[in-house]
Amino acid sequence: MLLIPLLTLAMAFIVINSPRIRTTSPKCGLRIGLDVGNWNFRFLSFGGAVPYRPAQDLAFAVARFFQRGGTLQNYYMYHGGTNFGRTTGGPFISTSYDYDAPLDEYGLVNQPKWGHLKDLHKVIKQVEGALVATDPAISSLGSNLEAAVYRTGSECVAFLANVGTNSAATVTFNGNSYNLPAWSVSILPDCKNVVYNTAKINSMAMIPSFTRQSLIADVDESLSLGSAWSWIKEPVGITKDDAFTKPGLLEQINTTADQSDYLWYSLSVDVKGDEPYLDESKTDLHVESLGHALHAFINGKLAGSGKGNSGNSKVSLEIPVTFGSGKNTIDLLSLTVGLQKISYALHQNYGAFFDTRGAGITGPVKLRSAKSGTSVDLSSLQWTYQVGLKGEELNLPSKDSSLWSQSTLPKKQPLTWYKTSFDAPSGSSPVAIDFTGMGKGEAWVNGQSIGRYWPTYFAPNSGCKENCDYRGPYSSSKCYKNCGKPSQQLYHVPRSWLKPSGNILVLFEEIGGDPMQISFATREVESLCSHISESHPPPVDLWNSDSKSKSHSSAPVLSLECPSPNQVISSVKFASFGTPHGSCGRFNHGKCSSTKALSVVEKACVGSKSCKIGVSINTFGDPCVGVTKSLAVEASCT
């Protein structure tokens, strides 16, 4: 059975309601509504960079779908989410399931993607009557150029597409000339006026930011912040009454029944008795595991760790170990990081024979004398097993325990539980916890698991591009950001889980960290931006049923709006009309720029919740005659 992760998310279906089933041709028979899974892109993996998909490409895919006769659009995902608890849908999928969705993990709009798609579906809805009444007449306008016309009665709707990836093209359609950017679709609700083009974003962009504050408030700096924390050491190895012994190495998923991420494998060996030929001071431990990670302890001390990755979850660990005379204990803690995920060519984790893929230490487990090279296979011996942790059995995340210690706070120590109390951050902005300083583990707020954290698993240094070209077919490796940084550093805490004060945070740290470095972060908007050219279509809102028979000749408009009801635009960081370039947060003036752009924008916007500015030489003058000009603005709200 395919397990679907329990997320804060939504799969959106944008539907055109067809009043009847239509025929396409005698050969094809009936045409019914098509269902397409349209990926905003994909999940984030621990150890991977953050994937994203440009709004222009996503809009292109949607517009092409309706252009060619589609009737239902399925987004995966339209609302990003969070893999709270242990609900992540596959090995190494991160706690964040933001998915670069139009509505992000925190429930806020992801601009400009949200606005660009909103405009697209508004246009599609306006021409619904023609789209559901007939099939498109598709014709070629040239190489990689195509027109699709829906005509019924007095209605005529056209889609003009340039599926070339390199350059714009000028086409003639119904006696008029149209410029089509590469990899774009223009929509003409009246077969005459362009109301929307997928490559030209009218929606504003936002730069999200996270404002950090200390986890512990109002603490005298002369006091150790460690006094606000309590801790419990998780014992190494077998400590629970339900432990059991079996010969050989057991597969983890079937053994734990997914009741815990953790499975202990424990074995006692007599260096001078059972294996007298092993040199106790020069011995290597070799462990092979199906994944996803493991920690090896020799006589209660951490000797080494290993982890897999999203492409290959298997772990091969080779570490030098030191034994003493007589009995020695080998304790291997194997752990999973989610059990299933969506199937890709290189990442198949469900379907036929999924149950045979397994997890955990299936061997071999060997000891090898570094001096003589002689080895012994321990795989078939009598191993003792324990499902889960002692702290899980005691329900430390939710119940009080007399075991919590307030003595000197241990830092950088493996297998440690931490607990503290805190007040909720002020305001109403979404909340996250920054786990900088911690290694790997799980966190609970007021008994609710906010998921696994793993800020020490960094993305590769290569593979990211400052500007990802949206043109051309999309692939799983096309657009990444955050290279060389933790795959996930911030972890969502729903406001509904928090009280004004007296909240309890519990952590289980596997590999060692410093909880004193943890901080809160509230999600804010650092900047609003928009970049609109004279060649952009006017706002979609200007086109309605009353104006369909009129010329759609209004000028493009740049719009800004603060995201919160009680905010106003407080400053304009950048404004340029002419040939500005760059992206939100990195705009620069071009070779020509109007001298009054900043003052015009400040007058129109500062002090208001929202503002609209016509993008034309009538507003700003003409700083460079004969050149298509644009207006770029960055502003902030308070």
Side-chain angles (χ1 to χ4, degrees):
M1 179 179 67
L2 173 60
L3 301 178
I4 299 176
L6 302 176
L7 314 171
T8 304
L9 52 78
M11 183 185 294
F13 296 87
I14 308 301
V15 182
I16 292 179
N17 295 314
S18 177
R20 59 190 176 89
I21 297 177
R22 311 189 297 270
T23 60
T24 57
S25 71
K27 292 183 179 180
C28 296
L30 298 179
R31 193 192 81 159
I32 64 173
L34 303 177
D35 181 357
V36 169
N38 196 347
W39 297 64
N40 294 310
F41 186 39
R42 57 173 292 177
F43 53 81
L44 168 66
S45 295
F46 284 124
V50 178
Y52 68 98
R53 186 177 183 181
Q56 298 96 322
D57 179 70
L58 184 57
F60 174 81
V62 175
R64 285 283 286 169
F65 173 74
F66 286 117
Q67 174 194 341
R68 302 287 295 190
T71 57
L72 185 149
Q73 180 71 207
N74 167 14
Y75 287 94
Y76 193 94
M77 310 298 301
Y78 205 83
H79 192 327
T82 302
N83 289 308
F84 295 119
R86 301 174 50 252
T87 59
T88 178
F92 299 96
I93 294 180
S94 69
T95 300
S96 172
Y97 208 71
D98 186 79
Y99 237 83
D100 193 35
L103 292 170
D104 71 12
E105 176 181 6
Y106 298 91
L108 304 179
V109 295
N110 174 16
Q111 294 283 28
K113 183 174 286 186
W114 183 83
H116 197 41
L117 291 174
K118 177 184 176 183
D119 284 347
L120 171 56
H121 285 290
K122 186 175 293 184
V123 176
I124 296 297
K125 184 63 178 176
Q126 288 174 350
V127 299
E128 177 182 5
L131 299 189
V132 300
T134 185
D135 293 318
I138 299 174
S139 60
S140 174
L141 300 176
S143 178
N144 293 320
L145 303 169
E146 183 180 275
V149 177
Y150 291 82
R151 190 184 301 273
T152 175
S154 61
E155 288 192 89
C156 180
V157 179
F159 293 77
L160 306 182
N162 179 356
V163 298
T165 60
N166 295 321
S167 58
T170 299
V171 301
T172 300
F173 174 75
N174 280 355
N176 296 312
S177 180
Y178 300 90
N179 182 266
L180 302 178
W183 204 252
S184 77
V185 177
S186 287
I187 303 177
L188 292 63
D190 58 358
C191 284
K192 181 178 180 182
N193 293 292
V194 175
V195 172
Y196 182 91
N197 180 271
T198 60
K200 297 181 178 181
I201 296 177
N202 276 344
S203 177
M204 67 179 182
M206 292 182 182
I207 300 179
S209 65
F210 287 87
T211 301
R212 286 164 173 78
Q213 65 183 69
S214 173
L215 185 66
I216 309 299
D218 301 323
V219 176
D220 189 330
E221 291 183 0
S222 64
L223 299 176
S224 168
L225 288 177
S227 63
W229 289 86
S230 55
W231 59 277
I232 296 174
K233 192 70 177 175
E234 173 70 27
V236 173
I238 308 302
T239 57
K240 295 170 58 179
D241 293 337
D242 59 359
F244 59 94
T245 300
K246 292 280 187 180
L249 297 166
L250 301 182
E251 189 277 329
Q252 183 167 351
I253 295 176
N254 288 318
T255 304
T256 64
D258 196 31
Q259 296 302 303
S260 172
D261 281 0
Y262 304 99
L263 178 62
W264 281 105
Y265 297 68
S266 184
L267 183 68
S268 178
V269 295
D270 189 339
V271 171
K272 295 300 183 181
D274 297 337
E275 310 298 344
Y277 53 82
L278 288 178
D279 187 330
E280 63 191 56
S281 62
K282 294 182 179 180
T283 303
D284 292 331
L285 173 65
H286 177 82
V287 182
E288 292 287 342
S289 170
L290 295 177
H292 308 137
L294 68 89
H295 308 299
F297 296 82
I298 302 298
N299 296 324
K301 294 184 178 180
L302 182 64
S305 299
K307 62 181 182 292
N309 56 61
S310 61
N312 180 11
S313 61
K314 293 183 179 181
V315 182
S316 181
L317 188 64
E318 183 91 21
I319 52 174
V321 296
T322 300
F323 290 116
S325 298
K327 293 289 184 180
N328 291 264
T329 302
I330 300 173
D331 293 300
L332 305 177
L333 181 58
S334 177
L335 55 116
T336 53
V337 189
L339 296 185
Q340 297 177 310
K341 69 180 166 190
I342 304 303
S343 176
Y344 288 92
L346 298 178
H347 306 124
Q348 293 185 1
N349 276 290
Y350 77 88
F353 309 111
F354 168 75
D355 57 330
T356 66
R357 297 187 180 107
I361 301 167
T362 55
V365 176
K366 295 181 179 180
L367 290 175
R368 182 176 63 86
S369 171
K371 183 177 181 180
S372 66
T374 305
S375 66
V376 57
D377 192 335
L378 309 177
S379 305
S380 61
L381 299 182
Q382 290 281 334
W383 289 81
T384 302
Y385 295 91
Q386 175 181 300
V387 176
L389 307 170
K390 188 67 176 178
E392 291 177 319
E393 183 183 54
L394 297 172
N395 199 10
L396 294 180
S398 301
K399 291 184 178 180
D400 290 332
S401 172
S402 59
L403 298 176
W404 290 105
S405 172
Q406 292 186 330
S407 61
T408 302
L409 186 72
K411 301 178 182 179
K412 306 297 182 183
Q413 297 297 312
L415 303 189
T416 306
W417 293 85
Y418 296 101
K419 183 174 77 169
T420 192
S421 61
F422 64 93
D423 295 340
S426 59
S428 58
S429 299
V431 178
I433 294 182
D434 184 339
F435 277 99
T436 295
M438 301 304 289
K440 180 187 180 301
E442 188 174 348
W444 295 261
V445 171
N446 295 331
Q448 300 280 345
S449 174
I450 65 172
R452 304 177 181 94
Y453 64 83
W454 203 349
T456 53
Y457 208 160
F458 279 48
N461 288 316
S462 60
C464 294
K465 301 174 183 177
E466 184 174 349
N467 294 303
C468 180
D469 190 348
Y470 66 85
R471 298 173 298 180
Y474 203 70
S475 68
S476 62
S477 59
K478 188 172 184 179
C479 300
Y480 284 105
K481 58 186 176 181
N482 213 49
C483 286
K485 299 178 181 179
S487 297
Q488 184 178 353
Q489 185 172 325
L490 295 160
Y491 295 78
H492 181 204
V493 182
R495 279 273 183 185
S496 61
W497 292 6
L498 298 176
K499 303 176 290 185
S501 61
N503 299 284
I504 302 298
L505 172 65
V506 175
L507 314 175
F508 173 64
E509 172 58 45
E510 288 177 24
I511 58 180
D514 180 3
M516 299 304 304
Q517 296 186 43
I518 293 176
S519 62
F520 275 122
T522 54
R523 190 189 183 284
E524 314 290 350
V525 174
E526 179 180 327
S527 292
L528 308 176
C529 296
S530 191
H531 190 181
I532 306 295
S533 74
E534 292 178 302
S535 65
H536 272 64
V540 169
D541 289 339
L542 295 181
W543 181 270
N544 53 54
S545 58
D546 296 330
S547 63
K548 285 182 179 179
S549 61
K550 302 175 184 178
S551 174
H552 193 55
S553 58
S554 302
V557 175
L558 183 145
S559 300
L560 298 174
E561 182 176 4
C562 294
S564 299
N566 59 344
Q567 290 183 323
V568 296
I569 297 171
S570 55
S571 66
V572 177
K573 300 179 180 180
F574 180 90
S576 179
F577 179 78
T579 56
H581 56 89
S583 57
C584 190
R586 297 190 296 270
F587 284 136
N588 290 292
H589 294 282
K591 293 182 178 180
C592 77
S593 181
S594 170
T595 57
K596 58 181 183 178
L598 181 61
S599 62
V600 168
V601 174
E602 287 180 330
K603 183 178 179 179
C605 299
V606 173
S608 301
K609 176 177 172 53
S610 63
C611 60
K612 298 179 184 294
I613 307 166
V615 181
S616 72
I617 59 176
N618 295 331
T619 305
F620 296 98
D622 194 346
C624 39
V625 178
V627 174
T628 300
K629 291 162 281 293
S630 63
L631 173 63
V633 176
E634 179 181 356
S636 61
C637 296
T638 54

